[in-house]
Amino acid sequence: MYSDPKECIYCTKHDAREAIMLPICDLRVSRAFLFKEQTYRGRCLVAYKGHVNDLNELSAEERNAFMDDVTTVTRAMQKVFNPEKINYGAYSDKLSHLHFHLAPKYVDGPDYGGTFQMNPGKVYLTDAEYKEIIDKLNNEIAHQ
């Protein structure tokens, strides 16, 4: 399924995106977001800036730049949250825009050793807590 860029939540200012995630920063070829639902403390998403449907549509240079952006965010997440592992999810069945879900996993935390849930709907933070996380991630990203 190919989505229309004019209706894509990553290509336009979109209420659906703003309802579930907050912007962290623009990177070289992508944008980083923090999920509002924080069952997986520090869960982020990195979306490619251009409207492409799949990683295989990118040139080698574009792909490498996108993966560098993903790596930049995961390095920041590792420093800020110190998870045991970060799970990567690249699902685009219903919304065909290249993006990676980045879900930190902790040994005694939810779903450790299994697949992270897309939206458990259990843990939400205050505006001040979201801002603190975003500020910490931005600080780490700026120092890479």
Side-chain angles (χ1 to χ4, degrees), residues 12 14-15 18 26 34 36 54 56 61 65 71 83 102 117 121 125 132 136 139:
T12 63
H14 204 286
D15 291 342
E18 292 178 4
D26 280 354
L34 178 72
K36 288 183 180 178
D54 197 277
N56 67 28
E61 183 180 327
T71 301
L102 308 172
Q117 298 174 54
L125 308 177
E132 180 181 357
K136 285 180 179 179
N139 184 55

Side-chain angles (χ1 to χ4, degrees), residues 44-75:
C44 295
L45 181 139
V46 176
Y48 193 71
K49 284 182 184 174
H51 189 74
V52 297
N53 298 299
D54 197 277
L55 196 58
N56 67 28
E57 294 177 22
L58 301 178
S59 68
E61 183 180 327
E62 292 165 332
R63 181 197 64 235
N64 291 343
F66 177 66
M67 295 311 293
D68 283 348
D69 285 353
V70 170
T71 301
T72 295
V73 174
T74 57
R75 284 182 178 148

Side-chain angles (χ1 to χ4, degrees), residues 30-113:
S30 58
R31 294 180 187 95
F33 298 92
L34 178 72
F35 270 87
K36 288 183 180 178
E37 205 294 327
Q38 284 287 295
T39 292
Y40 310 100
R41 185 84 171 156
R43 182 173 173 196
C44 295
L45 181 139
V46 176
Y48 193 71
K49 284 182 184 174
H51 189 74
V52 297
N53 298 299
D54 197 277
L55 196 58
N56 67 28
E57 294 177 22
L58 301 178
S59 68
E61 183 180 327
E62 292 165 332
R63 181 197 64 235
N64 291 343
F66 177 66
M67 295 311 293
D68 283 348
D69 285 353
V70 170
T71 301
T72 295
V73 174
T74 57
R75 284 182 178 148
M77 292 168 65
Q78 191 67 50
K79 287 194 173 198
V80 172
F81 299 103
N82 196 32
E84 181 71 20
K85 179 73 174 99
I86 297 173
N87 287 182
Y88 298 75
Y91 312 110
S92 295
D93 297 355
K94 294 183 179 178
L95 174 61
S96 56
H97 182 110
L98 177 60
H99 63 283
F100 275 28
H101 294 263
L102 308 172
K105 300 293 271 308
Y106 304 89
V107 174
D108 294 323
D111 304 310
Y112 186 78

